[in-house]
PDB file of all heavy atoms in Angstrom:
ATOM      1  N   LEU A   4       2.528   1.548  -3.308  1.00  0.00           N
ATOM      2  CA  LEU A   4       1.573   2.065  -4.429  1.00  0.00           C
ATOM      3  C   LEU A   4       1.431   3.571  -4.177  1.00  0.00           C
ATOM      4  O   LEU A   4       1.499   4.281  -5.233  1.00  0.00           O
ATOM      5  CB  LEU A   4       0.168   1.394  -4.146  1.00  0.00           C
ATOM      6  CG  LEU A   4      -0.692   1.714  -5.319  1.00  0.00           C
ATOM      7  CD1 LEU A   4      -0.340   1.341  -6.689  1.00  0.00           C
ATOM      8  CD2 LEU A   4      -2.169   1.101  -5.035  1.00  0.00           C
ATOM      9  N   ILE A   7       4.373   5.324  -5.515  1.00  0.00           N
ATOM     10  CA  ILE A   7       4.440   5.315  -7.000  1.00  0.00           C
ATOM     11  C   ILE A   7       3.523   6.456  -7.524  1.00  0.00           C
ATOM     12  O   ILE A   7       3.894   7.146  -8.422  1.00  0.00           O
ATOM     13  CB  ILE A   7       4.120   3.954  -7.526  1.00  0.00           C
ATOM     14  CG1 ILE A   7       5.149   2.951  -7.264  1.00  0.00           C
ATOM     15  CG2 ILE A   7       3.923   4.043  -9.112  1.00  0.00           C
ATOM     16  CD1 ILE A   7       4.871   1.496  -7.448  1.00  0.00           C
ATOM     17  N   LEU A  34       4.341  30.290 -36.884  1.00  0.00           N
ATOM     18  CA  LEU A  34       5.324  31.423 -37.149  1.00  0.00           C
ATOM     19  C   LEU A  34       6.452  30.981 -38.089  1.00  0.00           C
ATOM     20  O   LEU A  34       6.747  31.644 -39.134  1.00  0.00           O
ATOM     21  CB  LEU A  34       5.848  31.980 -35.872  1.00  0.00           C
ATOM     22  CG  LEU A  34       6.803  33.160 -35.949  1.00  0.00           C
ATOM     23  CD1 LEU A  34       6.224  34.279 -36.778  1.00  0.00           C
ATOM     24  CD2 LEU A  34       7.351  33.600 -34.578  1.00  0.00           C
ATOM     25  N   SER A  47      16.002  37.123 -52.187  1.00  0.00           N
ATOM     26  CA  SER A  47      16.144  38.065 -53.344  1.00  0.00           C
ATOM     27  C   SER A  47      16.405  39.464 -52.831  1.00  0.00           C
ATOM     28  O   SER A  47      17.233  40.182 -53.320  1.00  0.00           O
ATOM     29  CB  SER A  47      14.932  38.043 -54.216  1.00  0.00           C
ATOM     30  OG  SER A  47      13.900  38.899 -53.715  1.00  0.00           O
ATOM     31  N   SER A  66      18.009  51.935 -48.506  1.00  0.00           N
ATOM     32  CA  SER A  66      16.746  52.554 -47.747  1.00  0.00           C
ATOM     33  C   SER A  66      15.591  52.526 -48.750  1.00  0.00           C
ATOM     34  O   SER A  66      14.490  52.260 -48.315  1.00  0.00           O
ATOM     35  CB  SER A  66      17.259  53.983 -47.292  1.00  0.00           C
ATOM     36  OG  SER A  66      16.237  54.602 -46.757  1.00  0.00           O
ATOM     37  N   LEU A 141      13.130  43.312 -42.299  1.00  0.00           N
ATOM     38  CA  LEU A 141      11.985  43.556 -43.294  1.00  0.00           C
ATOM     39  C   LEU A 141      11.130  42.271 -43.313  1.00  0.00           C
ATOM     40  O   LEU A 141       9.867  42.456 -43.332  1.00  0.00           O
ATOM     41  CB  LEU A 141      12.497  43.679 -44.713  1.00  0.00           C
ATOM     42  CG  LEU A 141      11.457  43.816 -45.707  1.00  0.00           C
ATOM     43  CD1 LEU A 141      10.652  45.044 -45.668  1.00  0.00           C
ATOM     44  CD2 LEU A 141      12.140  43.666 -47.268  1.00  0.00           C
ATOM     45  N   THR A 157       2.777  48.061 -29.652  1.00  0.00           N
ATOM     46  CA  THR A 157       3.379  48.566 -30.897  1.00  0.00           C
ATOM     47  C   THR A 157       4.845  48.197 -31.079  1.00  0.00           C
ATOM     48  O   THR A 157       5.427  48.176 -30.079  1.00  0.00           O
ATOM     49  CB  THR A 157       3.361  50.085 -30.799  1.00  0.00           C
ATOM     50  OG1 THR A 157       1.990  50.571 -30.478  1.00  0.00           O
ATOM     51  CG2 THR A 157       3.786  50.762 -32.050  1.00  0.00           C
ATOM     52  N   ALA A 172      23.393  54.929 -34.636  1.00  0.00           N
ATOM     53  CA  ALA A 172      22.477  54.799 -33.734  1.00  0.00           C
ATOM     54  C   ALA A 172      22.280  56.100 -32.938  1.00  0.00           C
ATOM     55  O   ALA A 172      21.106  56.452 -32.574  1.00  0.00           O
ATOM     56  CB  ALA A 172      22.799  53.676 -32.807  1.00  0.00           C
ATOM     57  N   ILE A 201      21.390  30.480 -31.644  1.00  0.00           N
ATOM     58  CA  ILE A 201      21.727  31.889 -31.204  1.00  0.00           C
ATOM     59  C   ILE A 201      22.600  31.933 -30.096  1.00  0.00           C
ATOM     60  O   ILE A 201      22.785  30.806 -29.487  1.00  0.00           O
ATOM     61  CB  ILE A 201      20.398  32.725 -30.916  1.00  0.00           C
ATOM     62  CG1 ILE A 201      19.616  32.189 -29.714  1.00  0.00           C
ATOM     63  CG2 ILE A 201      19.518  32.884 -32.102  1.00  0.00           C
ATOM     64  CD1 ILE A 201      18.568  33.089 -29.177  1.00  0.00           C
ATOM     65  N   ASN A 274      68.517  60.145 -44.086  1.00  0.00           N
ATOM     66  CA  ASN A 274      69.374  61.011 -43.318  1.00  0.00           C
ATOM     67  C   ASN A 274      68.723  62.317 -42.700  1.00  0.00           C
ATOM     68  O   ASN A 274      69.514  63.212 -42.630  1.00  0.00           O
ATOM     69  CB  ASN A 274      70.593  61.341 -44.222  1.00  0.00           C
ATOM     70  CG  ASN A 274      70.049  61.959 -45.526  1.00  0.00           C
ATOM     71  OD1 ASN A 274      69.027  62.154 -45.638  1.00  0.00           O
ATOM     72  ND2 ASN A 274      71.018  62.464 -46.357  1.00  0.00           N
ATOM     73  N   ILE A 276      66.180  63.924 -39.695  1.00  0.00           N
ATOM     74  CA  ILE A 276      65.347  63.547 -38.592  1.00  0.00           C
ATOM     75  C   ILE A 276      64.133  64.475 -38.876  1.00  0.00           C
ATOM     76  O   ILE A 276      64.176  65.639 -39.225  1.00  0.00           O
ATOM     77  CB  ILE A 276      66.078  64.201 -37.313  1.00  0.00           C
ATOM     78  CG1 ILE A 276      67.292  63.168 -36.958  1.00  0.00           C
ATOM     79  CG2 ILE A 276      65.101  64.300 -36.109  1.00  0.00           C
ATOM     80  CD1 ILE A 276      68.108  63.722 -35.850  1.00  0.00           C
ATOM     81  N   VAL A 318      46.931  64.755 -28.560  1.00  0.00           N
ATOM     82  CA  VAL A 318      46.065  63.636 -28.943  1.00  0.00           C
ATOM     83  C   VAL A 318      44.716  64.034 -29.499  1.00  0.00           C
ATOM     84  O   VAL A 318      44.074  64.921 -28.867  1.00  0.00           O
ATOM     85  CB  VAL A 318      45.884  62.702 -27.745  1.00  0.00           C
ATOM     86  CG1 VAL A 318      45.075  61.505 -28.111  1.00  0.00           C
ATOM     87  CG2 VAL A 318      47.230  62.151 -27.215  1.00  0.00           C
ATOM     88  N   ILE A 332      26.080  46.450 -23.197  1.00  0.00           N
ATOM     89  CA  ILE A 332      25.696  45.898 -21.915  1.00  0.00           C
ATOM     90  C   ILE A 332      24.247  45.298 -22.041  1.00  0.00           C
ATOM     91  O   ILE A 332      23.298  46.070 -22.196  1.00  0.00           O
ATOM     92  CB  ILE A 332      25.801  46.802 -20.715  1.00  0.00           C
ATOM     93  CG1 ILE A 332      26.963  47.765 -20.813  1.00  0.00           C
ATOM     94  CG2 ILE A 332      25.527  46.075 -19.436  1.00  0.00           C
ATOM     95  CD1 ILE A 332      28.275  47.108 -20.222  1.00  0.00           C
ATOM     96  N   VAL A 354      20.102  27.606 -27.930  1.00  0.00           N
ATOM     97  CA  VAL A 354      20.570  28.800 -27.296  1.00  0.00           C
ATOM     98  C   VAL A 354      21.841  28.627 -26.660  1.00  0.00           C
ATOM     99  O   VAL A 354      21.942  27.809 -25.603  1.00  0.00           O
ATOM    100  CB  VAL A 354      19.375  29.374 -26.337  1.00  0.00           C
ATOM    101  CG1 VAL A 354      19.832  30.605 -25.766  1.00  0.00           C
ATOM    102  CG2 VAL A 354      18.123  29.495 -27.039  1.00  0.00           C
ATOM    103  N   PRO A 374      16.529  49.514 -21.713  1.00  0.00           N
ATOM    104  CA  PRO A 374      17.211  48.271 -21.706  1.00  0.00           C
ATOM    105  C   PRO A 374      17.169  47.483 -23.031  1.00  0.00           C
ATOM    106  O   PRO A 374      16.044  47.718 -23.775  1.00  0.00           O
ATOM    107  CB  PRO A 374      16.282  47.546 -20.597  1.00  0.00           C
ATOM    108  CG  PRO A 374      15.126  48.308 -20.377  1.00  0.00           C
ATOM    109  CD  PRO A 374      15.374  49.691 -20.876  1.00  0.00           C
ATOM    110  N   MET A 377      21.662  42.795 -27.500  1.00  0.00           N
ATOM    111  CA  MET A 377      22.271  42.428 -28.817  1.00  0.00           C
ATOM    112  C   MET A 377      22.730  41.021 -28.729  1.00  0.00           C
ATOM    113  O   MET A 377      23.393  40.614 -27.808  1.00  0.00           O
ATOM    114  CB  MET A 377      23.367  43.414 -29.030  1.00  0.00           C
ATOM    115  CG  MET A 377      24.414  43.008 -30.161  1.00  0.00           C
ATOM    116  SD  MET A 377      23.715  42.732 -31.759  1.00  0.00           S
ATOM    117  CE  MET A 377      22.937  44.260 -32.126  1.00  0.00           C
ATOM    118  N   ILE A 380      23.108  35.554 -34.070  1.00  0.00           N
ATOM    119  CA  ILE A 380      22.349  34.507 -34.725  1.00  0.00           C
ATOM    120  C   ILE A 380      23.322  33.794 -35.635  1.00  0.00           C
ATOM    121  O   ILE A 380      24.011  34.350 -36.507  1.00  0.00           O
ATOM    122  CB  ILE A 380      21.156  35.209 -35.375  1.00  0.00           C
ATOM    123  CG1 ILE A 380      20.304  34.047 -36.046  1.00  0.00           C
ATOM    124  CG2 ILE A 380      21.536  36.298 -36.370  1.00  0.00           C
ATOM    125  CD1 ILE A 380      18.922  34.594 -36.427  1.00  0.00           C
ATOM    126  N   ALA A 414       8.818  36.973 -32.903  1.00  0.00           N
ATOM    127  CA  ALA A 414       8.482  36.344 -31.627  1.00  0.00           C
ATOM    128  C   ALA A 414       8.912  37.188 -30.586  1.00  0.00           C
ATOM    129  O   ALA A 414       8.233  37.372 -29.519  1.00  0.00           O
ATOM    130  CB  ALA A 414       9.027  34.753 -31.650  1.00  0.00           C
TER     131      ALA A 414
END
Side-chain angles (χ1 to χ4, degrees):
L4 183 65
I7 291 167
L34 181 56
S47 89
S66 178
L141 174 65
T157 308
I201 61 170
N274 59 352
I276 291 171
V318 179
I332 316 274
V354 182
M377 163 57 58
I380 179 163

